[in-house]
């Protein structure tokens, strides 16, 4: 029979001394039973175990039925009265990752496994005498997590065969993924020990429930792996899943035979190993294929040999054979020597054990690739504490070297924040930052400062543009046109009146109040330029002063005029004596008194709230920040504007009341009726202004609409006064000078008597358009003049 002498003595640097009786060197013998050390003459064995032989005379027993069969067992036994001193074991037939002959803890016999990888065997509280030269599946799980992260996958499913290997492997993978973070488990499917018909099709359907999890981690035996691949092909999911197999898949052909297209791209992992050459003695006719675990078998034997040698050197120095301190061998002491071994293994890798008896994790990483109709496992990297992955050597079905995706949610676009799904940190919903929010980090949106708005991609804030009413704006064209024409017309009237200052028409108009009224009209037009000019301290101060002052001057003068006329005729009803305060000086005093109230209010306003310009970012803060604008304006709120114009409105309404009361004055008496028409029209203008101005307060063009409305209304009010009160006079002065002559003067007594007595006569004739009836007395007074020709009748200041 074949036998193998590994030469422990030579590798350890020492020679076996002669035994009495003689003993063979350390020899690997083939044993028919995996657990029980054979007797010295069992079957066709050739190893003799003499009693009380030298301590290094050991036999290593293995099964006789070929190394490819499951359940291989290697036992290192010392022929002593108490029995075995240590044990070398592989894996069980049912669960290939747990030792078949695991001794009870009470036995205190050290064990070294060359195939058991179950993570729970690292538990010193349960398996304190257990060691292994193969890496634990914990390292394998860590390596697989590192591969998943390197491939930028964060959403994977797991499939495990029922049993310690599959369940422990998946559990270790899940635990490592949680510790490292960044990887979530979509589905965790278990394959029963005895699957029913259609069970694997059900597994594929379940995996497809989370279709974004295209990567599938498999801890399963060969048969289960193959049946999963077959079910994926039946479901027409070839190329959809990307498999990652544990060392049970490794580089084996059986799981993927005739399933090459389904398995294409699969990434598998396998502990580093090498074939042992030139150290076997095999029959020439033997069809021998070396099993992959031979390297670890040799390393396990050498580890035990090194431990025994070190123990003998320390406990039996200079002695040949066993000394009393090693007879029997103390398992606890032997375990310490096993854990302290450190030598170069058969593959050149260091053989060591950590405090849990685990060997270092060293893995080769493969990918199953199809190239030119040939399939192969190609090494794409390795893992030894750290991952070394050559992604450029990887090839994926359908996408070549482009990495496929296995993620729960696509990355959020700039300007979107992640809202993670509870209990699933790799899954999230992308919520856009809305309104004036910008993206602070991946999970947070924050509102921009009040004077800023988000950028186009909402990753930062930028200043809100500041606007004002420009001179070339379409909104400024009409107000400026009216103002320029109005100022020119006002100056023309003033020049005309100054030139013809001593003519009857100018005198009859009340020169002093006329110039005051014209000054107010001029200021009304000039206010337009202040309203359009860029707001600053000076501009805002002038706006406060002149916006209401121009109208106050105009309506104060008109109010004084209408009040004078009203008092004259009201006084005439009671007596023929002239009323008080109707002289030009008195009229000016009354007018300036009314104006002074406006100036006093403005001064108080300046003291309470000094004028300044502001940028209003709320005025045009639209829902869409792209259209948001900051409005540069004076600090005049709508309420302040109402107060500013309120006094002028009060004068206007009072003047209108007096105009209504004096509507019965004879047509030929001074300006009562033109003033009345002026006030009626002005009221209509301002009644239209109020709803337009305040009804557009929420408009995006509020600045333009309100400024244009206000300036146009002020200009129209001034134009009405200028057109109805002064243009007819200018027309007669310039084009009909023959009518600008003194007429018959009547005393105040005669005028008042004629006006008051006319109310006592019955009305006759047609009604006037304004509802007034011309009395017989008035007709008799006007008859002589109308018989010759129609003339413009005036009453000089001396007469009235």
């Amino acid at each position: 029979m074949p036998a193998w002498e590994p030469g422990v003595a030579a590798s350890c640097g020492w020679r076996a001394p002669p035994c009495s009786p003689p003993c063979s060197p350390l020899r690997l013998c083939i044993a028919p039973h995996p657990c029980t050390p054979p007797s010295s003459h069992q079957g066709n064995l050739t190893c003799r175990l003499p009693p009380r032989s030298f301590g290094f005379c050991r036999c290593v027993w293995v099964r006789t039925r070929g190394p490819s069969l499951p359940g291989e067992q290697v036992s290192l036994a010392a022929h002593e009265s108490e029995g075995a001193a240590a044990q070398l074991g592989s894996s069980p037939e049912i669960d290939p990752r747990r030792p078949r002959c695991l001794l009870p803890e009470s036995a205190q016999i050290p064990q070294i496994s060359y195939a058991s990888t179950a993570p729970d065997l690292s538990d010193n509280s349960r398996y304190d005498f257990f060691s292994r030269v193969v890496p634990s599946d914990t390292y394998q799980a860590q390596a697989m997590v590192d591969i998943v992260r390197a491939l930028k996958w964060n959403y994977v499913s797991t499939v495990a065969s029922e049993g310690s290997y599959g369940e422990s492997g998946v559990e270790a993978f899940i635990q490592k993924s949680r510790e490292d973070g960044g990887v979530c488990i979509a589905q965790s499917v278990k394959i029963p020990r005895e699957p029913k018909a259609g069970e694997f099709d059900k597994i594929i359907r379940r995996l497809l429930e989370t279709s974004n999890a295209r990567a599938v981690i498999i801890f399963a035996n060969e048969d289960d792996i193959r049946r999963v691949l077959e079910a994926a092909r039946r479901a027409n999911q070839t190329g959809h899943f990307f498999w990652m197999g544990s060392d049970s898949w490794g580089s084996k052909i059986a799981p993927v035979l005739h399933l090459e297209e389904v398995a294409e791209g699969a990434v598998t992992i396998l502990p580093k190993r090498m074939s042992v050459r030139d150290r076997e003695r095999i029959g020439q006719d033997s069809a021998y294929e070396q099993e992959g675990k031979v390297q670890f078998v040799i390393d396990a034997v050498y580890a035990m040999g090194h431990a025994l040698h070190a123990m003998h050197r320390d406990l039996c120095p200079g002695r040949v054979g066993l000394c009393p301190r090693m007879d029997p061998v103390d398992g606890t002491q032997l375990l310490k020597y096993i854990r302290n071994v450190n030598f170069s293994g058969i593959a050149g890798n260091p053989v060591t054990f950590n405090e849990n008896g685990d060997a270092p994790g060293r893995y080769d990483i493969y990918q199953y690739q199809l190239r030119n109709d040939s399939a192969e496992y190609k090494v794409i990297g390795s893992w030894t504490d750290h991952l070394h992955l050559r992604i450029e050597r990887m090839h994926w079905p359908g996408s070549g070297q482009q990495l496929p995706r296995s993620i729960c949610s696509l990355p959020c676009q700039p300007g979107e924040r992640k809202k993670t799904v509870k209990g699933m940190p790799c899954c999230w919903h992308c919520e856009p930052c809305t309104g004036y929010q910008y993206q602070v980090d991946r999970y947070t949106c924050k509102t921009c400062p009040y004077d800023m708005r988000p950028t186009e991609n909402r990753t930062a804030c930028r200043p809100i543009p500041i606007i004002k009413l420009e001179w070339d704006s379409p909104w400024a064209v009409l107000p400026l046109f009216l103002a320029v024409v109005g100022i020119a017309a006002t100056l023309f009237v003033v020049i005309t009146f100054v030139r013809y200052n001593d003519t009857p028409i100018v005198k009859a108009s009340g020169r002093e109040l006329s110039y005051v009224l014209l000054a107010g009209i001029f200021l009304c037009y000039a206010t337009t330029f202040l309203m359009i000019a860029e707001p600053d301290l000076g501009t805002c101060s002038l706006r406060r002063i002149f916006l209401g002052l121009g109208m106050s001057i105009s309506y104060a003068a008109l109010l004084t005029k209408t009040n004078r006329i009203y008092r004259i005729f009201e006084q005439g009803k009671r007596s023929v004596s002239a009323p008080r305060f109707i002289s030009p000086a008195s009229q000016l005093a009354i007018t300036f008194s009314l104006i002074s109230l406006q100036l006093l209010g403005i001064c108080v306003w300046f003291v309470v709230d000094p004028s300044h310009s502001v940028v209003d970012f709320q005025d045009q803060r639209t829902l869409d920040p792209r259209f948001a604008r900051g409005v540069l304006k004076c600090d005049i709120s709508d309420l302040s504007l109402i107060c500013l114009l309120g006094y002028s409105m009060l004068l206007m309404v009072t003047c209108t009341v007096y105009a209504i009361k004096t509507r019965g004055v004879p047509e030929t008496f001074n300006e009562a009726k033109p003033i009345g028409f002026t006030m009626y029209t002005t009221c209509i203008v301002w009644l239209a202004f109020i709803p337009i101005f305040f009804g557009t307060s929420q408009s995006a063009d509020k600045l333009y609409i309100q400024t244009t409305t206000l300036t146009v209304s002020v200009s129209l009010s001034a134009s009405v006064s200028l057109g109805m009160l002064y243009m007819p006079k200018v027309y007669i002065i310039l084009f009909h000078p023959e009518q600008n002559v003194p007429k018959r003067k009547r005393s105040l007594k005669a005028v008042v008597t004629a006006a008051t007595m006319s109310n006592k006569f019955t009305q006759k004739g047609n009604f006037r358009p304004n509802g007034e009836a011309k009395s017989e007395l008035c007709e008799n007074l006007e008859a002589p003049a109308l018989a010759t020709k129609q003339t413009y009748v005036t009453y000089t200041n001396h007469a009235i």
Side-chain angles (χ1 to χ4, degrees), residues 464-468 615-618 620 628-632:
I464 295 177
I466 299 175
I467 62 170
K468 62 181 182 64
V615 179
D616 188 354
F617 292 99
Q618 296 296 328
Q620 291 198 24
R629 299 292 184 270
V631 180
L632 177 61

Side-chain angles (χ1 to χ4, degrees), residues 505-528:
I505 288 182
V506 176
K507 291 181 179 181
S509 299
R511 288 175 294 185
E512 295 77 7
L513 287 181
S514 292
Y515 289 129
V516 172
L517 178 57
L518 288 171
I521 292 174
F522 177 84
L523 290 178
C524 288
Y525 287 124
T527 302
T528 298

